[in-house]
Each structure stands twice: as structure tokens, then as C-alpha cells.
Amino acid sequence: MKLLNILVLLVLVGLCCGQYMERLSRRKRESCFPESTGTTPFIKEIFLGRCLELQTETAIPNACPQSPVNCTLLWDVFHDAIAYKDPCAIPLDAYREFIAAVPHQLPADKSMFWSGTSYIVHEYTEAANDLLTLEDTLLGYMVDGLQWCSSTDASSTGLNYQECPDFWQEGCAVASTAFYTATSSAIGRQATGVITVMLDATRTDGAYRNDSFFAKYEFPNMDPEKVTRGDIILVNRLGNPIVETCGTGSVAVLERLFTEKGIEWTCTDNDERVYHVQCSKDPTHTECITPADVTGSSATSRPSLIILAMILVCMVAELM
Amino acid sequence: MKLLNILVLLVLVGLCCGQYMERLSRRKRESCFPESTGTTPFIKEIFLGRCLELQTETAIPNACPQSPVNCTLLWDVFHDAIAYKDPCAIPLDAYREFIAAVPHQLPADKSMFWSGTSYIVHEYTEAANDLLTLEDTLLGYMVDGLQWCSSTDASSTGLNYQECPDFWQEGCAVASTAFYTATSSAIGRQATGVITVMLDATRTDGAYRNDSFFAKYEFPNMDPEKVTRGDIILVNRLGNPIVETCGTGSVAVLERLFTEKGIEWTCTDNDERVYHVQCSKDPTHTECITPADVTGSSATSRPSLIILAMILVCMVAELM
């Protein structure tokens, strides 16, 4: 029984940790600065640079804020939300003022939500060049992949650059939980027109999970008066057995929730872009074919067809 | 005759302009700041943020500078290279001090050179997650896609934020020419091990062109003592007729130049990743197939084979 408890706990911790890790790292890359579990070095400069950069070259057309953003002010609001607070007692509404200070910039029909598909969704929107994830909007872009937490040391800047609590530390409410809860809710509220959601159809715990950020904060905040349709895209992760398809399992649950909310929906099992994006990362995978393969296979099948036809003609000729 | 001269001039201007434009804009995106032909607003903050960001999450493993970079110092050196100078008389060696101040960070076997393939090369290296273009190294990353020029106004910061000279303005040597000439030469010199070069096989003016940055500054600076092999990847741009293949035309010229330099080489006509990266951007293109298409075609070809075989068996049976 004790072993079972430990196992259940490990699974819960794993799921919980996975949730955050997914939001926190678009792609795990090496830091050149000395290893630390603390706030990302130079987070302020990176935040400011990204805030200005997004306005210099915005990700997709018509995604500019209505007027230039005061990035220094945004940093101050972001910083003050948690500075000098107990790093394990950050209230879920800590970033309310920050959210209010960031201008909306989600054009209609351009929101991309996702859950369990961090390994492909950003490459997908980059290739499509027409959809924005939370991480592509000003709200998420400025701190995407970074880490931060507060320091209660009055002589510090209010942030702890030495160490941050583990995300899954029991009884610890960290800054990034508050941040992603609030920003997820915000982009749910801001979405208008057609929204897209990308889920993993090869997950054994379900493509649509009740405890995901999408299920908890994004979907519930969508306004059926503003959102006209939800397009579900299922990803069949290369090499993994397909667990769910459109209309089955947890995907059917989501489809029903859309209907109940009065929002039309579509669902796609075999999205062509999903396939090519996955194969562009892993082109030699057995599931990935190339035009050469196809030419090759038709070239080998054609002679056998021709030989058969010739034999047939010969035999018919002989019969006559 | 006059018309011919004008035509020749237009073609030359077009080629020259194309060269710079390609280096200058990874992807043309909308600026949220008021339109201007001057230096990118907040270029200093963006430069600093990117310099620090690249060290926080470096593009590929083992691409860190040996010690943390003083980014503010780098900006000063970059700025002082052209500040207060005539914006049309920037000497080609203006960025010599800047190049010297940026630490090398090209691991062996990781350099990706390119010419004429700006529309795909960065998506390719992003998907491969194992190769660095100039724009991915600290040298190029900090100003990739940005614009800058100097102001001779003593009361200014030394940069002109109102307007910059056109790149192709006759008799005008602009800052970006000096910058990309010097940085291209530098990454040519820094390359070690296996290098990769991606060229466009559908260009009517040749995949390998004598006037390209690759031909003028990168290839000539490669040290055959340090570079062990050159892998040429030809891109067949979707929907465009293939003009050159490995071993033909200007590609053969480059192959010979590698041999003459004492560097081994390989050449690939149908790179699988190139195909999938292109199709991930344009998945409904007629040249892009999906597993569903293949299943479909083999499903339709199989019955005809079976019918033929059955007819054959029937006829043989009748004969016996």
C-alpha cells in the first residue's frame, strides 16, 4: 500500500512537473552562464530587448499593439508583481496588473492554443506564419523559456539569481504558476474568430486533459459571442501508436464541450503541415517519405505491370 | 543602345540589391513603429537583449563563448565603428575592431553557409538543430534583420534614426556592406571540420555565383588545413524548374574549386530535410505528398495488379 502511495505521488509529481516544464521551455538549450537554478541572468535586459524586438518585427501581420509599448514600464510592473515576496507564496492574481498593462494584440482568427504539443506547435506556427501562440504574443514572448523568482532579501533587487524553488515543491506557489495561469486566461479571453488548438493524439493519458492549461484556463475563458469556431488539430507523433482520433476518447469530450458552449468546431486527424514539420525535424524516420521514394516505388511497380500486360497480350495472341 | 545600357544597369542594381536584401531580412515582417528608412528604433536595447539571450539559451550545444561576453562593451565597439561618419563612405574594414571583440563560437562541423536560399536555410538549421548560419552566431545574431546607418550631426547619438541611404545608391558604401563583408570573411576563417553550403538549384543565374557573399568572402577565407570537407546541398525550390544538379553548371565549378583548394566535398540533389521544410511551409503544393497520398496510390494500384494476376491465372487455367 505504501509503495502504491509513493507510485501515485510520483505520477502526480511527474504530471504536474511536465505541465510546467512544457510551458517553461520551448526547447531545452544550453546556457552559457554558470549553472544555477535561480532567475535567468540579465532577465531585465532580455525582457526589454524582446519587448522592443517584437514591435520592430512582429510575428505576423496586423499583430501590432495600437500604440508603441513602454517596455521599461512593463518590466517594472512585471518585476513589482513578485519582488521581495515569499517565492513560495505567490498569489494566482499577482500578475493582474501586468496583464492589464500589456496591450491586446491577438488579431481575429490567429490564436493557436496547444496542450502536450510543445515539441511541434512553435515550429508549426513558424511554418504557417499565420498563427500566434501565447509564446508569440507580447504577453508570453518577453519571458518565454526564462526562469524567475523573488527574493525576500531587502538588500537584493527583489529577485533571486542564486536559486528558485522547484516548480513541484509541495505547498509552494511559484511565480511562473501565477504567470502562466493569468496569461493563459488572458489569451482565452482575448481570442476572437476562428481559434485553433493542437493536441497530441498519441498520449496515453488523453489528448484533451482536464488538468491542462488549455482545459483549465484557456477554453473556459473563451467567449462564445466572440469565438466563431474551434479547429482541433491532432498530432500523430512519429513512431508513437495513435491512441485517439477525432470523435473518440477525450477528443470527443472536447468536441462536445465546444458544442455545449455554442461554438462550432472541426477536427483534423492527418494534418499535412503537422506531418511535414515533424519530418523536417526527423527526415530519415521510417514514417517520412520523400518524392524520391514515391518515384522509386512507382518506377518499380510500373515494370511489373507492363510485364504482366505483355504476358497477357502474348497469351491472348496465342489463343487467337 | 541607350535602352540596353539602362537594362544592364537595372539588372546589375537588381542583383546587387537582392544580395543585400537577402542578408538584411531573414523574413520580411511588419514593424509596429512608424515607417522610416532610418536606423531600427531601439537598436541598442535589441542588440543588448539578443547578445545576452544568445548566452542564456545558445542555439546549439557547445556554441558558447569561452567566457561571458561583455555585451555593453560590444555595443559600444559596434556603434563606434560608424558613428558620426559619412553614411555613404563606410570603409570595408570599419568593423575590424568589432569582429576582433566578438569571441569565436563556431564548433567544428557546425558551420552552415548559404547563398540564394535565405527563404529556407534558417528553417532548415532550426529543424536540424545542429548547424549555425552567420545569423545564428553572436556575430550576426545581434543585428539580424535590423537596419542602421550613421549620422554626421554632432548633436546626435552618431546614428541616423530618420533615414539611411539606399543599399544600392550609386557611389555609396553603406554600413551593412562593411558589416556583412567583414562578418562573412570572419566565419569563413573560423570554420573548422565539415562545412555545409546550401545553394538554390533553380536559379537561372546559377546556384554558385561569383558575386555572392559566399563566393567572395566565405569560401576564399576557408583554411584547407582546418576545413576537412564541404557538403553542398542543392535546393529544388518547389514549383520552379531545376536548372542545375550536382556536377553540372556552376555547381561543378564550386566542386572543382573545393578540389583545387584540397578540400573534399559531397553534393546532394534531393535532400530529404529540404523537401520537408519546404512542404511544411506550403503543405498543399502539388509537389508535396503525405503518407495518406501514398497509401491512397498504392491502394489503387494494388487492385489493378490483382485483377491482372487473376485474369492471367484464369487464362493459364483455360490453356491447361
Side-chain angles (χ1 to χ4, degrees):
Chain A
M1 194 60 190
K2 219 171 181 182
L3 190 70
L4 187 68
N5 281 346
I6 293 171
L7 273 174
V8 168
L9 188 70
L10 279 176
V11 168
L12 284 175
V13 162
L15 284 176
C16 172
C17 185
Q19 276 283 321
Y20 291 121
M21 290 312 284
E22 210 173 41
R23 285 278 160 192
L24 290 172
S25 62
R26 173 178 292 212
R27 174 178 286 175
K28 192 65 204 143
R29 293 190 145 164
E30 179 186 335
S31 174
C32 301
F33 295 111
E35 279 227 29
S36 132
T37 64
T39 300
T40 302
F42 303 103
I43 189 172
K44 179 183 175 178
E45 288 77 8
I46 296 172
F47 181 104
L48 277 179
R50 288 190 185 172
C51 176
L52 292 161
E53 178 172 9
L54 198 74
Q55 297 176 80
T56 299
E57 304 174 81
T58 190
I60 64 166
N62 304 316
C64 285
Q66 298 228 311
S67 54
V69 175
N70 184 334
C71 294
T72 316
L73 178 75
L74 273 197
W75 165 258
D76 290 340
V77 179
F78 176 85
H79 172 266
D80 294 350
I82 62 153
Y84 303 108
K85 291 186 179 153
D86 176 346
C88 269
I90 304 297
L92 275 188
D93 66 348
Y95 283 100
R96 191 178 0 191
E97 210 184 320
F98 172 74
I99 306 279
V102 176
H104 294 197
Q105 51 144 192
L106 264 176
D109 311 330
K110 304 301 185 197
S111 328
M112 169 64 105
F113 298 91
W114 58 274
S115 176
T117 48
S118 65
Y119 58 91
I120 180 180
V121 68
H122 299 109
E123 282 86 348
Y124 183 95
T125 55
E126 177 86 13
N129 200 27
D130 193 37
L131 289 169
L132 297 167
T133 64
L134 166 58
E135 294 76 15
D136 298 316
T137 67
L138 201 52
L139 262 185
Y141 187 70
M142 298 180 290
V143 294
D144 183 29
L146 309 184
Q147 179 167 280
W148 69 98
C149 65
S150 43
S151 163
T152 51
D153 181 351
S155 69
S156 76
T157 61
L159 298 183
N160 190 335
Y161 289 88
Q162 273 68 55
E163 70 175 324
C164 287
D166 282 333
F167 311 116
W168 45 269
Q169 194 176 306
E170 209 182 329
C172 177
V174 297
S176 44
T177 307
F179 182 82
Y180 285 106
T181 301
T183 52
S184 297
S185 305
I187 59 157
R189 280 195 305 274
Q190 289 171 22
T192 57
V194 178
I195 66 104
T196 312
V197 55
M198 181 179 279
L199 306 172
D200 184 345
T202 65
R203 275 184 82 124
T204 49
D205 56 346
Y208 174 77
R209 278 154 293 110
N210 286 332
D211 65 342
S212 65
F213 274 84
F214 175 70
K216 281 166 79 180
Y217 309 114
E218 293 169 344
F219 183 77
N221 277 297
M222 283 177 202
D223 180 352
E225 299 281 306
K226 295 194 307 181
V227 173
T228 54
R229 199 180 72 219
D231 289 340
I232 306 166
I233 295 179
L234 296 186
V235 177
N236 299 326
R237 198 170 181 157
L238 292 181
N240 289 31
I242 296 170
V243 178
E244 293 181 325
T245 55
C246 291
T248 69
S250 71
V251 183
V253 172
L254 177 59
E255 291 168 354
R256 200 178 58 240
L257 288 174
F258 268 120
T259 304
E260 284 172 9
K261 213 176 161 96
I263 299 174
E264 284 183 46
W265 54 267
T266 70
C267 183
T268 307
D269 277 313
N270 285 300
D271 185 86
E272 293 177 343
R273 198 189 304 277
V274 164
Y275 163 73
H276 287 294
V277 169
Q278 289 192 93
C279 290
S280 69
K281 293 172 86 170
D282 191 6
T284 58
H285 194 282
T286 49
E287 290 181 31
C288 296
I289 47 169
T290 64
D293 294 335
V294 176
T295 320
S297 70
S298 62
T300 53
S301 68
R302 250 178 233 141
S304 49
L305 263 175
I306 293 166
I307 290 167
L308 268 174
M310 278 172 69
I311 293 173
L312 202 65
V313 168
C314 290
M315 291 176 79
V316 169
E318 213 165 331
L319 275 177
M320 278 160 69
Chain B
M1 194 61 191
K2 219 170 178 182
L3 191 71
L4 188 69
N5 280 347
I6 293 172
L7 274 173
V8 168
L9 188 72
L10 279 175
V11 167
L12 284 176
V13 161
L15 284 175
C16 171
C17 183
Q19 276 283 322
Y20 290 123
M21 289 312 286
E22 212 173 40
R23 285 278 160 194
L24 291 171
S25 62
R26 174 177 292 214
R27 175 178 286 177
K28 192 65 203 141
R29 293 188 145 166
E30 179 186 337
S31 174
C32 302
F33 295 112
E35 278 227 29
S36 130
T37 64
T39 300
T40 302
F42 304 103
I43 189 171
K44 178 181 175 177
E45 288 78 7
I46 296 172
F47 181 105
L48 278 178
R50 288 192 187 171
C51 176
L52 293 161
E53 178 171 10
L54 198 74
Q55 297 176 80
T56 300
E57 305 172 80
T58 190
I60 64 167
N62 305 316
C64 285
Q66 299 227 310
S67 55
V69 175
N70 183 334
C71 295
T72 315
L73 178 73
L74 272 197
W75 165 258
D76 290 341
V77 179
F78 175 84
H79 173 265
D80 295 350
I82 62 152
Y84 304 108
K85 289 186 181 152
D86 176 347
C88 269
I90 305 297
L92 275 187
D93 67 349
Y95 283 99
R96 190 176 3 192
E97 210 184 319
F98 173 74
I99 306 280
V102 176
H104 293 196
Q105 49 142 198
L106 265 176
D109 310 330
K110 304 300 185 197
S111 328
M112 168 64 104
F113 298 91
W114 58 274
S115 177
T117 48
S118 65
Y119 59 91
I120 181 180
V121 67
H122 299 109
E123 282 85 349
Y124 183 95
T125 54
E126 177 86 14
N129 202 25
D130 193 36
L131 290 168
L132 296 168
T133 65
L134 167 59
E135 294 75 16
D136 298 317
T137 67
L138 202 52
L139 262 187
Y141 186 70
M142 298 181 289
V143 293
D144 183 29
L146 309 184
Q147 178 167 282
W148 68 99
C149 66
S150 44
S151 164
T152 51
D153 181 352
S155 69
S156 76
T157 61
L159 298 183
N160 190 336
Y161 289 89
Q162 272 69 54
E163 70 176 323
C164 287
D166 282 332
F167 311 116
W168 44 270
Q169 194 175 308
E170 208 183 327
C172 178
V174 298
S176 43
T177 308
F179 182 81
Y180 285 106
T181 301
T183 52
S184 297
S185 305
I187 60 159
R189 281 196 304 274
Q190 291 171 20
T192 56
V194 179
I195 66 105
T196 311
V197 54
M198 181 179 280
L199 306 173
D200 183 345
T202 64
R203 274 185 83 125
T204 48
D205 56 346
Y208 174 76
R209 279 155 292 111
N210 285 332
D211 65 343
S212 65
F213 275 84
F214 175 70
K216 282 166 79 180
Y217 309 114
E218 293 170 341
F219 182 76
N221 277 298
M222 283 178 201
D223 180 353
E225 299 282 306
K226 296 194 307 182
V227 173
T228 55
R229 198 180 73 220
D231 289 341
I232 305 166
I233 295 180
L234 297 186
V235 177
N236 299 326
R237 197 169 182 158
L238 292 181
N240 289 30
I242 297 170
V243 177
E244 293 181 326
T245 54
C246 292
T248 69
S250 70
V251 183
V253 173
L254 176 59
E255 291 167 355
R256 200 178 59 239
L257 288 173
F258 267 120
T259 304
E260 284 172 8
K261 214 176 160 96
I263 299 175
E264 284 183 46
W265 55 268
T266 70
C267 184
T268 307
D269 276 313
N270 285 301
D271 185 85
E272 294 177 341
R273 198 188 304 276
V274 165
Y275 164 73
H276 287 294
V277 169
Q278 288 192 93
C279 288
S280 70
K281 294 173 86 171
D282 191 7
T284 59
H285 194 280
T286 50
E287 289 180 31
C288 297
I289 47 170
T290 63
D293 295 335
V294 177
T295 320
S297 72
S298 62
T300 52
S301 69
R302 251 178 232 142
S304 49
L305 264 176
I306 294 166
I307 290 167
L308 269 174
M310 278 173 67
I311 293 174
L312 203 61
V313 170
C314 290
M315 290 176 82
V316 170
E318 213 167 330
L319 275 178
M320 278 158 70

